[in-house]
């Protein structure tokens, strides 16, 4: 996997490893076709440092992100380093609110794919009757649309909507997913996206769906949670996706 950019001496090995991983995540989002041009964010909390996060320089395509050009911001999205690039404080409002309130969430990804945005439009939201939808049972929260997410007073309401769950459906908008690290967050996003794709396709197909019993949904969700938490499954998945991307497109930087 591409690690060819030399680590600047002022960046620790631990931070550099996180930068490499996060830069790969931006490229993966583009590789899977989940980008919204230059918008949205993937944020990662710096290890052992309170209130500092890595995000993309605003204005760059996701394919232009490298470990070195990622910028440090505080919980309000304000730049903390001397990067020539600027952040997007307004766009970090959602991420900052979640990071500040949830010690268990070290990475947040926000997307607007067609399938996810379509489900965010529906009163029913996500169903839990497909292989992937069942894995999300009990993990999805919903927040009513209040306009573009810019304003301080909405943060508390978003957090109240999220509670202790890991997927926040922003009604009429998109989703934010958050987990303990980048690998787990990416896998959760992938699962959520697949659930959305299948639900949209099933709805277009017509006919009556086979519904799962609640105990089956709970079993699937619990098993997936246990697998992700207690094994290297998410790491293996993430690294495999990076290898696949670079095999098809070449090194990211």
């Amino acid at each position: 996997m591409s690690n060819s950019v030399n680590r600047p001496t002022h960046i620790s090995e631990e931070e550099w490893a996180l930068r490499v991983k996060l830069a790969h995540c931006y490229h993966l989002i583009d590789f899977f076709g989940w980008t919204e041009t230059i918008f949205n964010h993937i944020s990662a909390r710096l290890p052992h440092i309170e209130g500092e996060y890595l995000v993309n320089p605003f204005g760059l395509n996701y394919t232009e992100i490298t470990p070195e050009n990622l910028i440090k911001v505080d919980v309000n999205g304000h730049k903390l380093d001397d990067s020539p690039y600027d952040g997007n404080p307004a766009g970090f409002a959602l991420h900052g609110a979640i990071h500040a309130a949830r010690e268990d969430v070290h990475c947040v990804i926000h997307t607007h794919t067609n399938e996810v945005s379509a489900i965010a439009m529906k009163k029913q939201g996500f169903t839990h009757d497909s292989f992937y939808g069942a894995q999300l049972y009990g993990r999805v929260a919903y927040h009513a649309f209040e306009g573009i997410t810019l304003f301080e007073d909405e943060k508390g309401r978003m957090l109240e909507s999220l509670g202790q769950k890991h997927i926040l459906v922003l009604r009429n908008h998109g989703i934010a997913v958050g987990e303990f690290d980048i690998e787990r967050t990416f896998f959760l996003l992938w699962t959520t996206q697949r659930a959305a794709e299948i639900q949209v396709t099933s709805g277009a197909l017509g006919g009556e769906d086979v519904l799962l019993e609640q105990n089956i949904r709970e079993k699937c969700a619990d098993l997936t949670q246990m697998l992700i938490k207690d094994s290297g499954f998410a790491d293996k998945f993430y690294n495999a996706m990076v290898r696949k991307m670079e095999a098809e497109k070449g090194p990211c930087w």
Side-chain angles (χ1 to χ4, degrees), residues 181-248:
D181 57 22
I182 292 169
E183 294 92 335
R184 289 174 175 87
T185 307
F186 182 80
F187 182 74
L188 179 59
L189 177 69
W190 181 82
T191 304
T192 305
Q193 176 64 29
R194 291 293 292 133
E197 291 168 355
I198 292 168
Q199 185 173 331
V200 168
T201 302
S202 176
L205 183 62
E208 187 175 354
D209 290 338
V210 176
L211 304 183
L212 297 177
E213 298 290 338
Q214 181 174 332
N215 68 309
I216 298 298
R217 296 170 178 170
E218 291 173 350
K219 182 179 179 180
C220 288
D222 290 346
L223 183 60
T224 303
Q225 290 258 84
M226 183 171 61
L227 183 67
I228 296 304
K229 182 180 291 186
D230 298 331
S231 73
F233 179 88
D235 293 15
K236 291 181 176 67
F237 178 82
Y238 187 82
N239 292 333
M241 294 305 98
V242 173
R243 292 196 306 273
K244 176 180 174 62
M245 171 178 64
E246 293 197 324
E248 294 186 16

Side-chain angles (χ1 to χ4, degrees), residues 36 40 110-126 141-149 154 168-176:
E36 192 76 5
N40 297 339
H110 173 46
T111 63
H112 293 170
T113 66
N114 288 352
E115 296 85 359
V116 159
S117 296
I119 288 173
M121 290 278 294
K122 298 294 184 180
K123 286 185 178 181
Q124 184 182 28
F126 277 96
Y142 296 85
H143 178 67
F145 186 65
E146 299 187 23
I148 298 174
T149 308
E154 189 179 356
L168 182 62
V169 175
L170 302 160
R171 293 288 194 184
N172 309 84
H173 182 176
I175 58 166

Side-chain angles (χ1 to χ4, degrees), residues 56-90:
N56 56 313
F58 186 58
L60 295 187
N61 294 300
Y62 281 20
T63 52
E64 297 175 301
I65 303 299
T66 68
E68 192 166 13
N69 68 26
L70 288 162
I71 62 173
K72 290 183 186 181
V73 298
D74 63 17
V75 74
N76 295 309
H78 298 131
K79 189 167 64 171
L80 297 176
D81 57 17
D82 60 356
S83 168
Y85 300 100
D86 291 321
N88 182 6

Side-chain angles (χ1 to χ4, degrees), residues 123-142:
K123 286 185 178 181
Q124 184 182 28
F126 277 96
T127 62
H128 301 284
D129 299 302
S130 72
F131 177 79
Y132 297 104
Q135 295 177 47
L136 306 180
Y137 186 75
R139 303 198 74 192
V140 184
Y142 296 85

Side-chain angles (χ1 to χ4, degrees), residues 3 5 19 28 43 48 59 65 91 103-104 112 129 135-136 139 150 153 155 164 184 212 233 249:
N3 287 314
V5 177
R19 284 175 172 270
L28 281 172
S43 56
H48 313 305
I65 303 299
E103 283 295 321
D104 61 321
H112 293 170
D129 299 302
Q135 295 177 47
L136 306 180
R139 303 198 74 192
L150 297 174
D153 67 316
K155 288 184 178 181
Q164 293 303 306
R184 289 174 175 87
L212 297 177
F233 179 88
K249 297 185 66 176

